[in-house]
Amino acid sequence: MSNKTSSADRIREKKKIFLAREQKIIDAALELFLKESIDRVTVSKIAAVAGIGKGTVYKHFLTKNEILARIMLDYERNITNVLAEGIVKAEGGDSGAAAKGYFQARLERPELDRLVQQLEVRLADASDIAEQLEELHATRRSNEESLSTLMTGLIGEGVLEDVPPHFHYLACWALAQGAVELCFNRSWNYRTDTKELMEFITNIGVTMGNRGQYHANARQSKSAKTPKPKK
Amino acid sequence: MSNKTSSADRIREKKKIFLAREQKIIDAALELFLKESIDRVTVSKIAAVAGIGKGTVYKHFLTKNEILARIMLDYERNITNVLAEGIVKAEGGDSGAAAKGYFQARLERPELDRLVQQLEVRLADASDIAEQLEELHATRRSNEESLSTLMTGLIGEGVLEDVPPHFHYLACWALAQGAVELCFNRSWNYRTDTKELMEFITNIGVTMGNRGQYHANARQSKSAKTPKPKK
Amino acid sequence: MSNKTSSADRIREKKKIFLAREQKIIDAALELFLKESIDRVTVSKIAAVAGIGKGTVYKHFLTKNEILARIMLDYERNITNVLAEGIVKAEGGDSGAAAKGYFQARLERPELDRLVQQLEVRLADASDIAEQLEELHATRRSNEESLSTLMTGLIGEGVLEDVPPHFHYLACWALAQGAVELCFNRSWNYRTDTKELMEFITNIGVTMGNRGQYHANARQSKSAKTPKPKK
Amino acid sequence: MSNKTSSADRIREKKKIFLAREQKIIDAALELFLKESIDRVTVSKIAAVAGIGKGTVYKHFLTKNEILARIMLDYERNITNVLAEGIVKAEGGDSGAAAKGYFQARLERPELDRLVQQLEVRLADASDIAEQLEELHATRRSNEESLSTLMTGLIGEGVLEDVPPHFHYLACWALAQGAVELCFNRSWNYRTDTKELMEFITNIGVTMGNRGQYHANARQSKSAKTPKPKK
DNA sequence: TATGAATGAGGCTTCATTCAT
DNA sequence: AATGAATGAAGCCTCATTCAT
């Protein structure tokens, strides 16, 4: 009996090690992607950084693209979770919670968010991983219904402008997308007040599309830099 | 004398032909980039589409990257011009003109704008064309002073929220950037109301950062034409 | 004593299991070879089909080539046995028995025969298994003496044409070899009368090299059963 | 005008050089294939032997397989021509001419014939070159009609046994196939009388399937080794 | 003893760039 | 001046074999 147990234990142990190594590959890939230009990252380098042989990588991933797809999916799942939480909060009354959480999640590690943006562009036409890409899109679409419901509600309450509900969350997506890009664009990122800038943009994201009220920015901005005399 | 003239003519003629061919290369490259995935565009294909020999391409551009850089610069110069016009108008009283023109210019051919976005990412670390990249950044920065002045003015007038002036135009840049991306993202672009969505986002771009007044969206939505008298 | 016996039993039991597994590997390899292109059969697949671990395969065979060599040798030994029987019969008066049995044996499972042909080609230069290849050749050569004697006899009797005796059996070998190939060649195998064709060829094989008489084909065709009294 | 001519000349000259290099690649490949085991021949080696760069090979052939396919097709076309000539002669009265020519053509450079046999086996499932393989099969099938007509005629004249006409030429093909194999099989080719053996087999090929007459071998054999007393 | 994860040599192919004509 | 054939570095991926557990 103890034999049986230890055998099962061993198998579990092996799986753990296996998964750990898989994570090591992902981490190595991430490290490289964040350090240098995407197309200069080779499987060889990833293996080297992960401290394993090139062939081992292919025990975990069928192709190089699968590694990239994995990074994308992992990230997107996290964003999706954050968004889901935000939606719950928003339904509980905090109308800006969804957008706010979304922005904060995407801007928490903007370098990672940007990497994923770029990976998505590059992998758009990769025929291997078509499945993973479909999952990515499905993941996103799965949020749409909740978001639509939420937006429709807020429109009904007069909080948001009366346009098709998806206009609101897509505008949010776009602003977040651009904000991340802004953090790293060589033309602009010589500035040192990125943090404040991102807060400013987040605020815009939270309030854009709002109607019939003073601009939320003016009332809620957490940024101490800009005193708001009227309030 | 006539000899001299005809010789000069000939030289001028040659230059013209030379420049025409250069444009042909750019056009061919653009055509290909817009048709297929960026990394499937080779110098051979560009030459073939341009109807010239591969070697000839290298009489016009030292490296492949220079072609891409040229596309970027051409595009950015156009945007800069539009922006400059907008700034002039804005200084003339139409406070939203700059943002509006900017958004319209970038969303006029979103596929081209997106291409340039992608080229910029790919070329960011290219050591050849460092010079051209510097020019790109310089081009952008050259607008900053005017934009800063403009924003500072609008802040002073109470039109815009009182944050560092660059916050305003950078937020605009970010939203435009994301809007373009939105047009092509596989997860979202199954929609058919892209045009209206872009108008909605443009409106947000024009009014975001405004303060002390009802949200402009609320009053103008759906009619981009409505003049805003108070501004 | 019982202890000793049971120990011996255990050893015998183990050997049996060991040999059974070895056969399982061979069978798995065969199954795969017959199902897909030779070079797409990997040791991993063989192990998987055999239901054992890849490492275990190497407890039975030092290299992958040894598996293939084993398949070849097993097959060739079978052919040799059939031939030996045929030789005995032929010496007993049935002059065509050797050739006939040989053809029938090789054409019984032409797909297997062809596989072995191909393996032989691929392994011809394999430095490991040089020993096994030598055994293969030795096995064949071991038949030569009997065959030579037989042919010499038939030549003396005037049954066969008077050429060096090996001409006769080598011609047979060649025809059988080609007949097998014929069964699978993509250019020809769209036909549906393979069975009759093989009988026709077998008949040729049995009678070729005969002299001083009407061509046996002419008399026996279509009925392999007809006894040939004069021989 | 002379300019025009010399330009055309230059183009022709270039084409010639281009084709010459293509032949050089084929020759290099052939040289290697005949020297060592097929799967040890790499594109690198071929390029090295041809005295060109690896990349250059791909200016002439889309894939490695295309080189092999080319070798096959070139060879098969030659065989087809020889066969066509033989068919013409046969129709002119020399009933054995087709088979004889066929055998002689295939046995003229048996090492090459065997190489092609092996290539055919290896390439059977290559999805690139599917087109070339189809051409190969088509080439062969294109001969079938002529051969069928010829055989049908010979059957009608009572020269050949009355079986489906394709039995005759397929048997020939098989014997030739096996004869070639025989030349190189390690088990048999230690002999020194290969030439005579091949003549013997050729004779069998020419006469097999004949009926109502003494075995042709006996009367026509060119091999001086075997005196034929009755004649 | 059986296992299967790890290895890395080596194969094919692509493409930016050069340079002789 | 225009050309395009030639180049070869570099990337991805496969798989026979090893060896620690």
Side-chain angles (χ1 to χ4, degrees), chain B residues 213-229:
Chain B
Q213 57 181 327
Y214 286 102
H215 203 274
N217 267 353
R219 299 197 323 260
Q220 308 179 345
S221 108
K222 305 248 158 100
S223 168
K225 306 257 158 100
T226 316
K228 278 156 285 161

Side-chain angles (χ1 to χ4, degrees), chain C residues 9-227:
Chain C
D9 279 357
R10 228 175 286 150
I11 289 175
R12 225 173 291 134
E13 187 63 24
K14 273 193 178 177
K15 259 189 189 167
K16 214 170 109 185
I17 291 175
F18 190 83
L19 287 176
R21 193 161 43 206
E22 194 152 308
Q23 193 55 44
K24 230 179 182 173
I25 294 171
I26 300 287
D27 291 344
L30 261 175
E31 184 184 328
L32 284 165
F33 280 133
L34 295 176
K35 194 159 56 188
E36 48 190 314
S37 169
I38 290 188
D39 36 32
R40 248 171 281 164
V41 176
T42 67
V43 175
S44 279
K45 285 184 189 175
I46 293 173
V49 171
I52 60 174
K54 201 188 330 182
T56 311
V57 172
Y58 284 86
K59 296 269 186 259
H60 293 265
F61 301 93
L62 274 162
T63 69
K64 184 191 184 189
N65 279 346
E66 283 203 349
I67 305 176
L68 316 201
R70 172 69 163 275
I71 289 176
M72 281 172 55
L73 280 175
D74 282 357
Y75 187 72
E76 193 66 26
R77 280 194 206 103
N78 175 43
I79 294 293
T80 292
N81 289 341
V82 170
L83 189 55
E85 284 175 31
I87 291 175
V88 170
K89 274 192 203 161
E91 284 165 345
D94 181 357
S95 75
K100 196 166 201 168
Y102 182 68
F103 270 84
Q104 281 172 353
R106 291 196 59 180
L107 290 168
E108 192 180 351
R109 293 186 60 190
E111 71 284 1
L112 179 54
D113 193 277
R114 190 185 188 227
L115 170 63
V116 171
Q117 281 184 34
Q118 291 176 14
L119 291 179
E120 190 173 344
V121 170
R122 296 204 179 219
L123 297 177
D125 292 322
S127 57
D128 54 336
I129 69 155
E131 208 175 326
Q132 285 92 330
L133 285 177
E134 185 37 47
E135 188 182 338
L136 175 74
H137 300 322
T139 300
R140 284 188 185 142
R141 281 194 295 262
S142 79
N143 295 118
E144 291 208 68
E145 205 175 343
S146 329
L147 282 167
S148 271
T149 310
L150 178 61
M151 299 298 143
T152 305
L154 293 173
I155 292 170
E157 294 172 28
V159 174
L160 293 182
E161 200 184 341
D162 183 14
V163 293
H166 61 274
F167 280 23
H168 291 289
Y169 59 76
L170 290 183
C172 253
W173 182 90
L175 184 58
Q177 194 84 354
V180 168
E181 197 83 351
L182 185 56
C183 294
F184 300 98
N185 187 283
R186 296 273 168 91
S187 298
W188 315 120
N189 69 355
Y190 60 93
R191 310 227 175 245
T192 56
D193 49 8
T194 305
K195 194 163 166 279
E196 288 76 19
L197 175 56
M198 290 301 131
E199 278 174 13
F200 176 73
I201 289 179
T202 299
N203 251 328
I204 289 175
V206 172
T207 60
M208 69 186 174
N210 285 11
R211 75 185 289 276
Q213 57 182 326
Y214 288 102
H215 202 274
N217 268 354
R219 299 197 323 260
Q220 309 180 344
S221 107
K222 307 246 158 100
S223 167
K225 306 257 157 98
T226 314

Side-chain angles (χ1 to χ4, degrees), chain A residues 18 21 52-56 59-60:
Chain A
F18 190 83
R21 194 184 295 265
I52 60 177
K54 205 188 328 181
T56 308
K59 292 271 185 223
H60 295 265

